[in-house]
């Protein structure tokens, strides 16, 4: 693969903040950083730390989680290539608000100190786009919180499985989805015991909705899961 692609010059399928940038802007961020590669499950950012570094995610996927006051770690998002990780702390000066780990394979990032990231954002006149991205992420968090509060545990389980699964091709409502979450991660999202989650997954397997393996599930009946996630009238 050409080095321009490895260092962000191809602009293929970028998400998040990177999806708002032109190829040359993204490449400037990449080239200003120091390459850091993280193995699956390895921690990139730790909640509560006073670090302001930004990790530009060039390849791979990450899981974003928050540890609640009761000590339970709750998955809140999955992010892919193109994301800027830790940008809120770089702008606000506040400690990390979430934990970020590599997921499903190796992650290639380019790390920039907070002051270097801020200087580049100013020099490329990206302040408005960066704040637009941050506000969008905050809105997503509020929508998720409101959605989960409105649903009962079974609905939350179904909704979370859909939210965190691999999206099907556009228009292909019957396509299977892959879900790379552990049962403990589902426990945190749903707010019920592990035994309750295990029993619900057994029921879904029996009904042909899902099949399960080690930290991976396949959703075979997307429409059925959507019905289970729908709020009651």
């Amino acid at each position: 693969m050409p080095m321009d692609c490895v260092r962000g010059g191809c602009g293929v399928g970028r998400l998040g903040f990177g999806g708002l940038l032109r190829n040359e802007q993204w490449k400037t961020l990449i080239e200003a950083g120091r390459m850091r590669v993280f193995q699956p499950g390895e921690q990139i950012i730790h909640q509560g730390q006073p670090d302001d570094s930004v990790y530009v995610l060039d390849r791979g996927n990450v899981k974003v989680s928050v540890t609640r006051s009761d000590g339970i770690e709750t998955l809140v998002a999955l992010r892919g290539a193109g994301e800027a990780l830790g940008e809120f702390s770089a702008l606000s000066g506040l400690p990390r608000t979430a934990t970020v780990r590599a997921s499903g394979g190796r992650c290639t990032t380019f790390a920039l100190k907070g002051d270097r990231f801020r200087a580049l954002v100013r020099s490329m006149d990206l302040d408005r786009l960066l704040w637009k991205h941050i506000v969008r992420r905050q809105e997503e968090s509020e929508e998720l919180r409101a959605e989960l509060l409105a649903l009962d545990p079974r609905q939350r389980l179904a909704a979370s499985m859909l939210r965190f699964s691999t999206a099907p091709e556009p228009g292909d409502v019957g396509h299977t989805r892959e879900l790379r979450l552990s049962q403990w991660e589902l426990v945190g999202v749903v707010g019920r015991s592990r035994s309750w989650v295990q029993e619900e997954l057994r029921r879904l397997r029996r009904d042909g909705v899902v099949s399960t393996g080690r930290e991976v599930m396949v959703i075979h009946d997307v429409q059925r899961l959507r019905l289970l996630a729908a709020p009651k009238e």
Side-chain angles (χ1 to χ4, degrees):
M1 178 176 294
M3 182 56 68
D4 278 352
C5 286
V6 174
R7 296 187 68 87
C10 291
V12 178
R14 288 197 301 267
L15 303 172
F17 181 53
L20 300 175
L21 306 185
R22 299 192 302 271
N23 282 357
E24 61 270 21
Q25 293 170 328
W26 175 254
K27 189 176 179 182
T28 297
L29 284 179
I30 290 291
E31 291 180 340
R34 179 170 62 91
M35 181 184 284
R36 293 282 307 278
V37 177
F38 296 88
Q39 302 301 321
E42 190 175 356
Q43 197 171 88
I44 302 172
I45 290 172
H46 182 68
Q47 182 178 344
Q49 283 188 340
D51 179 25
D52 71 348
S53 298
V54 176
Y55 295 84
V56 179
L57 182 58
D58 195 45
R59 290 188 173 278
N61 300 283
V62 298
K63 291 178 179 179
V64 182
S65 60
V66 172
T67 300
R68 304 186 322 220
S69 58
D70 58 6
I72 294 178
E73 188 172 354
T74 302
L75 181 71
V76 295
L78 303 179
R79 305 292 187 209
E83 296 287 354
L85 309 172
E87 76 285 5
F88 183 73
S89 291
L91 292 183
S92 67
L94 296 173
R96 302 300 199 186
T97 58
T99 294
V100 181
R101 294 184 179 88
S103 171
R106 294 198 312 168
C107 286
T108 301
T109 71
F110 291 86
L112 298 88
K113 291 295 186 180
D115 55 355
R116 176 63 171 150
F117 177 75
R118 293 190 298 271
L120 284 171
V121 167
R122 286 195 300 270
S123 68
M124 292 189 286
D125 196 25
L126 299 178
D127 300 79
R128 183 182 61 82
L129 288 180
L130 181 57
W131 279 111
K132 177 180 179 180
H133 163 72
I134 289 175
V135 169
R136 183 180 295 170
R137 289 289 178 251
Q138 293 297 320
E139 289 173 344
E140 287 178 2
S141 296
E142 292 300 323
E143 288 172 4
L144 174 60
R145 188 176 296 111
E147 174 185 294
L148 295 182
L149 286 174
L151 302 178
D152 66 30
R154 283 184 173 175
Q155 291 168 326
R156 284 202 299 272
L157 177 61
S160 297
M161 291 173 70
L162 289 170
R163 178 183 293 274
F164 296 124
S165 61
T166 303
E169 294 297 323
D172 187 3
V173 297
H175 199 283
T176 60
R177 293 190 180 193
E178 189 175 81
L179 182 69
R180 291 192 171 273
L181 297 185
S182 68
Q183 290 184 4
W184 277 117
E185 286 170 323
L186 286 175
V187 166
V189 171
V190 178
R192 297 297 297 266
S193 68
R194 187 175 185 180
S195 61
W196 184 91
V197 170
Q198 289 173 330
E199 179 58 34
E200 288 301 305
L201 291 177
R202 278 195 289 269
R203 182 175 60 83
L204 292 172
R205 285 197 302 269
R206 186 186 64 238
D207 294 343
V209 179
V210 302
S211 58
T212 60
R214 182 178 174 79
E215 294 200 7
V216 61
M217 304 177 203
V218 177
I219 301 173
H220 300 284
D221 193 337
V222 175
Q223 287 296 89
R224 175 72 180 276
L225 208 58
R226 284 184 178 139
L227 290 174
L228 292 173
K232 294 181 174 62
E233 294 293 336

